[in-house]
Structures are given as C-alpha cells and as structure tokens.
Amino acid sequence: MTADAVLATSRLAGIGRAEVEEFLYREAELLDDWDLDEWITLFTEDARYYVPCNDAPHGDAARDLMLIDDTMFRLRARVERLNSRKAHREYPHSNTSHQIANVRLGEVEGDELTVRAEFSVWRFRAERAMCYVGRYTYRLRAVDGELRIVMKHCLLSNTTLRQVSDVAIIL
C-alpha cells in the first residue's frame, strides 16, 4: 500500500505532500524569524529533537555522544535560554536561512507519518557565514487536525567536527 493510500485511511487523512511541505516551510520561517515561542508549539509533549555527532551519524543516544538530544523538557529550556540575554552566543540573534528541499513522505505507522527532507541552514553572525547541510527525518502526528512534530532528527552531512562544533542555533 502506498503512503498516500495509508494516509487516506489514517488519522492523517486529508494531509498530503502539499500540507506537509507547508508545515515544514512554516517551521523554517518561525526559526528564521526567531519566533521560538511559536515554533515550540509545533511539537507534541512526547517530542524529541536530536542531532548526532557527524563521526557517529546513526549513533544511539544511550551509548554515543550527541550534539543535541532534547526531550520536550530540554527543548523548552533551550528555547528559554535562546530567548534570553544569557545565550551570549546568540545575543543578538544570528541571521539564519533555513532551506528545505526534496520532501518525501515515508511510512505511516499507527498515527505517525515519517517525512524526510534535505536541508541547508545558513547562519550569519559577526561577519562570518556558516552552512549546516544534511537530512531531516521527522515523525509527524495529527493533533486536533493539525500536524505536530513527534521527532526531529537532523543528520549533518558536514564532514568535520570543526564545521559543526558550534550548533548554537536550532537546525
């Protein structure tokens, strides 16, 4: 059964590629606008956001070092810190540009849809430009008829740790 056929028979009925893409573009816009209070509402209470180190891209948080491994509790703390003057690496905020391409709908398991997309996130700060490139894997769930993020995994393509050692922004 195709992903579209499964979508039609699940709680995700009525949600297709266009709706998923619009949701991902909205997330990118909120991040670029530094509207983190609105951005965090896109997540479910049981959400997880993680970025493994590039030397162990498919690592397990239970045994491998992660650049970021946030539950919703830690994600809220991250947003609170980034919104404050205490985040000296991001005050004033960097200018960012989150670009998303090649969005692909994957498997539907229960009430969750897997989505993959390629990304590049440009960060401009202190006359420097950095680019983070990689692949997002999301698990999305419909909550009250709207998509929400259950899991966001950012797999970086950057080849050296030096390139990604400063992940002070949200990818």
Side-chain angles (χ1 to χ4, degrees), residues 12-59:
L12 296 161
I15 296 173
R17 179 181 308 281
E19 291 80 11
V20 169
E21 287 177 340
E22 186 61 31
F23 178 78
L24 298 181
Y25 298 152
R26 179 171 176 244
E27 180 198 17
E29 182 178 43
L30 291 170
L31 289 170
D32 289 340
D33 290 345
W34 281 86
D35 190 351
L36 301 181
D37 293 325
E38 182 65 23
W39 172 77
I40 202 162
T41 68
L42 300 179
F43 287 79
T44 61
E45 283 301 313
D46 59 340
R48 182 169 175 223
Y49 165 68
Y50 66 109
V51 182
C53 287
N54 55 349
D55 62 343
H58 301 290

Side-chain angles (χ1 to χ4, degrees), residues 92-157:
H93 300 310
S94 297
N95 290 325
T96 62
S97 177
H98 289 71
Q99 300 165 15
I100 301 166
N102 301 338
V103 176
R104 294 163 320 281
L105 304 185
E107 298 293 317
V108 175
E109 292 183 29
D111 60 350
E112 295 178 1
L113 169 66
T114 299
V115 175
R116 289 179 185 77
E118 301 300 312
F119 72 85
S120 60
V121 178
W122 284 91
R123 176 183 183 228
F124 303 95
R125 181 169 183 78
E127 299 180 15
R128 287 183 43 212
M130 294 183 83
C131 187
Y132 304 88
V133 177
R135 175 176 293 156
Y136 290 136
T137 300
Y138 290 90
R139 279 199 339 260
L140 304 177
R141 182 185 303 149
V143 177
D144 297 327
E146 294 192 23
L147 288 175
R148 293 290 178 257
I149 300 167
V150 177
M151 184 272 301
K152 181 177 181 179
H153 174 240
C154 307
L155 182 60
L156 290 164
S157 296

